[in-house]
Amino acid sequence: MEPTPDAEQMLRASSLRVTRPRIAVLEAVHTHPHADTDTVIAAVRDELPSVSHQAVYDSLHTLTDHGLVRRIQPTGSVARYEARVGDNHHHVVCRSCGAIADVDCAVGEAPCLHASDDNGFVIDEAEVLYWGTCPACTPA
Ligand SMILES: [Zn+2]
Ligand SMILES: [Zn+2]
């Protein structure tokens, strides 16, 4: 598959050098929301069979640093990546199987929770993570 113009444009808009691993990683994260590194590597290798683990790690870090990819890591989970960035959405995690789903921010922008005491800090984000049981793990 040829690289899509979208991924290329996103890299250029962030002043990043356009490389095949970066394009493939960005596309893999787009198609596999909340994928862990192994899943990203497998998806990227479908496109670029010879890509190294290191190239995928490096691309993930670069894309995350530049805000094209968001990294989340719920307690007890490995790092996961998603391409839905910039909307302050939250996640709900299944305590049983680890499934992750997006939850739109109730307010729409950070910080969506007002601190009862800011302790003099300028607060710009409240990290909200919901925990529960997913439909597949809920006994009928
Ligand atoms: Zn579950
Ligand atoms: Zn998400």
Side-chain angles (χ1 to χ4, degrees), residues 34-37 61 70-82 91 93 98 100 127 129 131:
H34 312 137
D36 60 13
T37 309
H61 286 146
R70 178 172 163 194
R71 181 184 188 275
I72 56 169
Q73 187 162 20
T75 306
S77 167
V78 296
R80 292 160 179 277
Y81 298 89
E82 67 184 348
H91 295 99
V93 184
I100 298 179
E127 200 171 285
L129 188 60
W131 292 90

Side-chain angles (χ1 to χ4, degrees), residues 38-122:
D38 287 346
T39 307
V40 174
I41 289 172
V44 168
R45 285 204 165 145
D46 280 347
E47 300 297 325
L48 298 175
S50 63
V51 78
S52 68
H53 279 226
Q54 197 57 48
V56 174
Y57 288 129
D58 291 347
S59 297
L60 278 172
H61 286 146
T62 303
L63 295 171
T64 305
D65 285 348
H66 287 79
L68 294 178
V69 165
R70 178 172 163 194
R71 181 184 188 275
I72 56 169
Q73 187 162 20
T75 306
S77 167
V78 296
R80 292 160 179 277
Y81 298 89
E82 67 184 348
R84 183 178 165 184
V85 296
D87 65 352
N88 198 49
H89 77 274
H90 309 301
H91 295 99
V92 56
V93 184
C94 177
R95 288 188 192 282
S96 178
C97 71
I100 298 179
D102 286 337
V103 179
D104 286 347
C105 178
V107 177
E109 60 188 34
C112 57
L113 279 181
H114 201 75
S116 57
D117 179 356
D118 63 17
N119 292 285
F121 286 55
V122 177

